[in-house]
Amino acid sequence: MKGLSLRKKFTIFSSVVVIICIFVTAFVCLWQVKKDMLRQVGVALNEEIKVFWEILLSKDGGLSNSTSALQERIKTTNISIQDNKLLIGFYALNDDTQLVDKMNQIFHGTTGVYMNDTLISASVSRKDGKRHTGTKLQTHIYDTVIKNSKSFRGELDIDGETHFTAFEPIKNKEGQTVGALFVGIPKN
């Protein structure tokens, strides 16, 4: 910098400041875009869970004409495990593809139903064409959803592809968690 005129030094200094400001602005904008995208994903997952519940509740004949709020209908739905089958009313969810395929048709994501910690109905197929039923919940998801009866939101690897996911507890009328609903949106 020795031998440069004051004008050149000021020009270089100003250029560096402008470049730093551009980088900081770009970083802040990208961070804000990512934050907003994650918020939108959360909203989308919540909406998918609501629709999934509505589709499930349509299988309980006793609620077909109910105008109660969704949460109230969920609490009063006849959900039980009988003969190793997860039932909503008299409708068995085990190996049912109709409900999860309907969700996939609407949202183009992944969906599933767990009885306790085991996937009993799934929209995701393996490479051999068979559904992913029989898969166990990961420990941290099991602890959150089944043991503690709380919702779980997070990323999950499904067949080598990362998904944004939501898991919601399925409870019987006594308030015991007997399973979970799952929806996922591919991250890419």
Side-chain angles (χ1 to χ4, degrees), residues 13-147:
F13 176 75
S14 297
S15 298
V16 169
V17 168
V18 167
I19 290 170
I20 290 171
C21 287
I22 289 170
F23 279 118
V24 168
T25 302
F27 175 79
V28 168
C29 287
L30 290 174
W31 179 76
Q32 195 64 29
V33 166
K34 180 181 178 183
K35 183 178 164 186
D36 188 53
M37 182 196 74
L38 291 174
R39 185 192 60 76
Q40 289 177 13
V41 165
V43 168
L45 288 170
N46 289 338
E47 289 304 311
E48 285 188 35
I49 285 286
K50 285 179 187 175
V51 170
F52 203 178
W53 270 116
E54 291 289 354
I55 291 171
L56 281 174
L57 294 176
S58 73
K59 298 300 181 184
D60 184 358
L63 293 173
S64 58
N65 295 324
S66 178
T67 57
S68 301
L70 179 61
Q71 290 303 318
E72 192 57 39
R73 286 184 288 143
I74 291 170
K75 286 179 187 175
T76 59
T77 299
N78 186 18
I79 297 173
S80 63
I81 296 177
Q82 296 176 16
D83 298 324
N84 207 30
K85 299 272 185 205
L86 181 60
L87 302 174
I88 185 156
F90 295 105
Y91 189 86
L93 299 174
N94 300 59
D95 298 316
D96 176 76
T97 58
Q98 180 186 8
L99 300 175
V100 291
D101 288 347
K102 179 75 171 173
M103 285 292 296
N104 191 31
Q105 191 178 35
I106 296 169
F107 294 106
H108 308 289
T110 56
T111 56
V113 179
Y114 286 82
M115 181 173 70
N116 295 315
D117 67 340
T118 305
L119 187 60
I120 59 167
S121 180
S123 65
V124 180
S125 297
R126 296 182 177 109
K127 291 179 176 122
D128 64 5
K130 293 182 181 177
R131 302 281 176 139
H132 266 284
T133 56
T135 305
K136 299 287 188 183
L137 280 173
Q138 292 181 4
T139 304
H140 67 286
I141 298 171
Y142 174 83
D143 289 345
T144 302
V145 180
I146 305 298
K147 277 188 175 178

Side-chain angles (χ1 to χ4, degrees), residues 148-168:
N148 298 321
S149 295
K150 296 191 185 297
S151 301
F152 173 86
R153 302 290 187 273
E155 293 182 15
L156 184 65
D157 183 272
I158 301 172
D159 280 344
E161 184 178 16
T162 304
H163 286 68
F164 295 108
T165 62
F167 290 81
E168 289 289 323

